[in-house]
mmCIF file of all heavy atoms in Angstrom:
data_model
loop_
_atom_site.group_PDB
_atom_site.id
_atom_site.type_symbol
_atom_site.label_atom_id
_atom_site.label_comp_id
_atom_site.label_asym_id
_atom_site.label_seq_id
_atom_site.Cartn_x
_atom_site.Cartn_y
_atom_site.Cartn_z
ATOM 1 N N LYS A 49 -15.416 75.224 30.464
ATOM 2 C CA LYS A 49 -15.783 75.671 29.121
ATOM 3 C C LYS A 49 -17.197 76.264 29.123
ATOM 4 O O LYS A 49 -17.446 77.307 28.516
ATOM 5 C CB LYS A 49 -15.713 74.490 28.154
ATOM 6 C CG LYS A 49 -15.861 74.852 26.693
ATOM 7 C CD LYS A 49 -15.917 73.587 25.846
ATOM 8 C CE LYS A 49 -14.652 73.427 25.072
ATOM 9 N NZ LYS A 49 -14.704 72.275 24.152
ATOM 10 N N LYS A 50 -18.115 75.602 29.814
ATOM 11 C CA LYS A 50 -19.492 76.081 29.894
ATOM 12 C C LYS A 50 -19.549 77.437 30.591
ATOM 13 O O LYS A 50 -20.242 78.354 30.129
ATOM 14 C CB LYS A 50 -20.348 75.064 30.648
ATOM 15 C CG LYS A 50 -21.803 75.425 30.723
ATOM 16 C CD LYS A 50 -22.590 74.357 31.467
ATOM 17 C CE LYS A 50 -24.051 74.758 31.609
ATOM 18 N NZ LYS A 50 -24.816 73.767 32.378
ATOM 19 N N ALA A 51 -18.798 77.593 31.675
ATOM 20 C CA ALA A 51 -18.772 78.867 32.397
ATOM 21 C C ALA A 51 -18.223 79.984 31.512
ATOM 22 O O ALA A 51 -18.763 81.104 31.494
ATOM 23 C CB ALA A 51 -17.933 78.730 33.671
ATOM 24 N N LYS A 52 -17.175 79.707 30.782
ATOM 25 C CA LYS A 52 -16.582 80.723 29.906
ATOM 26 C C LYS A 52 -17.519 81.074 28.751
ATOM 27 O O LYS A 52 -17.591 82.237 28.343
ATOM 28 C CB LYS A 52 -15.229 80.246 29.351
ATOM 29 C CG LYS A 52 -14.125 80.283 30.375
ATOM 30 C CD LYS A 52 -13.900 81.698 30.852
ATOM 31 C CE LYS A 52 -12.843 81.796 31.896
ATOM 32 N NZ LYS A 52 -12.642 83.150 32.385
ATOM 33 N N GLN A 53 -18.247 80.080 28.227
ATOM 34 C CA GLN A 53 -19.215 80.351 27.155
ATOM 35 C C GLN A 53 -20.320 81.274 27.670
ATOM 36 O O GLN A 53 -20.723 82.210 26.989
ATOM 37 C CB GLN A 53 -19.840 79.045 26.641
ATOM 38 C CG GLN A 53 -18.980 78.292 25.660
ATOM 39 C CD GLN A 53 -18.925 78.966 24.301
ATOM 40 O OE1 GLN A 53 -19.188 80.140 24.133
ATOM 41 N NE2 GLN A 53 -18.538 78.202 23.304
ATOM 42 N N GLU A 54 -20.818 80.991 28.875
ATOM 43 C CA GLU A 54 -21.857 81.836 29.459
ATOM 44 C C GLU A 54 -21.340 83.251 29.691
ATOM 45 O O GLU A 54 -22.036 84.237 29.425
ATOM 46 C CB GLU A 54 -22.356 81.220 30.772
ATOM 47 C CG GLU A 54 -23.176 79.964 30.571
ATOM 48 C CD GLU A 54 -23.534 79.277 31.877
ATOM 49 O OE1 GLU A 54 -23.195 79.813 32.962
ATOM 50 O OE2 GLU A 54 -24.152 78.197 31.829
ATOM 51 N N GLU A 55 -20.110 83.354 30.180
ATOM 52 C CA GLU A 55 -19.498 84.668 30.406
ATOM 53 C C GLU A 55 -19.369 85.434 29.090
ATOM 54 O O GLU A 55 -19.655 86.629 29.021
ATOM 55 C CB GLU A 55 -18.114 84.473 31.043
ATOM 56 C CG GLU A 55 -17.403 85.747 31.394
ATOM 57 C CD GLU A 55 -16.036 85.465 32.005
ATOM 58 O OE1 GLU A 55 -15.869 84.429 32.676
ATOM 59 O OE2 GLU A 55 -15.140 86.296 31.802
ATOM 60 N N TYR A 56 -18.972 84.732 28.034
ATOM 61 C CA TYR A 56 -18.823 85.361 26.726
ATOM 62 C C TYR A 56 -20.174 85.840 26.202
ATOM 63 O O TYR A 56 -20.285 86.954 25.697
ATOM 64 C CB TYR A 56 -18.196 84.366 25.742
ATOM 65 C CG TYR A 56 -18.175 84.863 24.319
ATOM 66 C CD1 TYR A 56 -17.274 85.851 23.923
ATOM 67 C CD2 TYR A 56 -19.062 84.369 23.372
ATOM 68 C CE1 TYR A 56 -17.262 86.327 22.624
ATOM 69 C CE2 TYR A 56 -19.058 84.832 22.082
ATOM 70 C CZ TYR A 56 -18.148 85.800 21.710
ATOM 71 O OH TYR A 56 -18.152 86.265 20.430
ATOM 72 N N LYS A 57 -21.194 84.996 26.314
ATOM 73 C CA LYS A 57 -22.526 85.381 25.826
ATOM 74 C C LYS A 57 -23.056 86.593 26.598
ATOM 75 O O LYS A 57 -23.666 87.483 26.006
ATOM 76 C CB LYS A 57 -23.480 84.202 25.933
ATOM 77 C CG LYS A 57 -23.171 83.100 24.948
ATOM 78 C CD LYS A 57 -24.376 82.242 24.698
ATOM 79 C CE LYS A 57 -24.057 81.105 23.770
ATOM 80 N NZ LYS A 57 -23.942 81.469 22.397
ATOM 81 N N LYS A 58 -22.807 86.637 27.897
ATOM 82 C CA LYS A 58 -23.249 87.786 28.700
ATOM 83 C C LYS A 58 -22.519 89.049 28.242
ATOM 84 O O LYS A 58 -23.121 90.107 28.044
ATOM 85 C CB LYS A 58 -22.982 87.533 30.181
ATOM 86 C CG LYS A 58 -23.458 88.661 31.060
ATOM 87 C CD LYS A 58 -23.169 88.383 32.519
ATOM 88 C CE LYS A 58 -23.675 89.551 33.325
ATOM 89 N NZ LYS A 58 -22.778 89.975 34.344
ATOM 90 N N LEU A 59 -21.216 88.950 28.074
ATOM 91 C CA LEU A 59 -20.418 90.086 27.628
ATOM 92 C C LEU A 59 -20.857 90.539 26.243
ATOM 93 O O LEU A 59 -20.984 91.742 25.984
ATOM 94 C CB LEU A 59 -18.937 89.697 27.610
ATOM 95 C CG LEU A 59 -17.930 90.799 27.333
ATOM 96 C CD1 LEU A 59 -17.949 91.809 28.471
ATOM 97 C CD2 LEU A 59 -16.545 90.219 27.188
ATOM 98 N N GLU A 60 -21.123 89.582 25.366
ATOM 99 C CA GLU A 60 -21.578 89.904 24.017
ATOM 100 C C GLU A 60 -22.939 90.610 24.072
ATOM 101 O O GLU A 60 -23.177 91.577 23.359
ATOM 102 C CB GLU A 60 -21.674 88.619 23.196
ATOM 103 C CG GLU A 60 -22.007 88.837 21.747
ATOM 104 C CD GLU A 60 -22.067 87.531 20.985
ATOM 105 O OE1 GLU A 60 -22.653 86.550 21.509
ATOM 106 O OE2 GLU A 60 -21.520 87.474 19.880
ATOM 107 N N GLY A 61 -23.826 90.104 24.930
ATOM 108 C CA GLY A 61 -25.146 90.719 25.073
ATOM 109 C C GLY A 61 -25.057 92.139 25.606
ATOM 110 O O GLY A 61 -25.818 93.025 25.199
ATOM 111 N N ASP A 62 -24.121 92.393 26.512
ATOM 112 C CA ASP A 62 -23.951 93.730 27.067
ATOM 113 C C ASP A 62 -23.443 94.720 26.029
ATOM 114 O O ASP A 62 -23.776 95.902 26.068
ATOM 115 C CB ASP A 62 -22.970 93.702 28.252
ATOM 116 C CG ASP A 62 -23.537 92.971 29.460
ATOM 117 O OD1 ASP A 62 -24.766 92.745 29.490
ATOM 118 O OD2 ASP A 62 -22.757 92.624 30.371
ATOM 119 N N HIS A 63 -22.630 94.241 25.095
ATOM 120 C CA HIS A 63 -22.008 95.146 24.127
ATOM 121 C C HIS A 63 -22.752 95.245 22.802
ATOM 122 O O HIS A 63 -22.414 96.080 21.979
ATOM 123 C CB HIS A 63 -20.559 94.719 23.880
ATOM 124 C CG HIS A 63 -19.673 95.040 25.038
ATOM 125 N ND1 HIS A 63 -19.576 94.220 26.136
ATOM 126 C CD2 HIS A 63 -18.877 96.100 25.288
ATOM 127 C CE1 HIS A 63 -18.741 94.751 27.003
ATOM 128 N NE2 HIS A 63 -18.296 95.886 26.516
ATOM 129 N N ILE A 64 -23.736 94.393 22.582
ATOM 130 C CA ILE A 64 -24.411 94.419 21.283
ATOM 131 C C ILE A 64 -25.174 95.718 21.085
ATOM 132 O O ILE A 64 -25.238 96.257 19.989
ATOM 133 C CB ILE A 64 -25.321 93.184 21.081
ATOM 134 C CG1 ILE A 64 -25.662 93.051 19.609
ATOM 135 C CG2 ILE A 64 -26.594 93.290 21.886
ATOM 136 C CD1 ILE A 64 -25.957 91.633 19.225
#
Side-chain angles (χ1 to χ4, degrees):
K49 189 186 252 185
K50 183 179 177 183
K52 286 298 178 181
Q53 279 287 21
E54 289 174 3
E55 183 181 329
Y56 172 74
K57 290 202 183 284
K58 182 180 180 223
L59 187 66
E60 186 179 44
D62 291 345
H63 287 83
I64 196 153

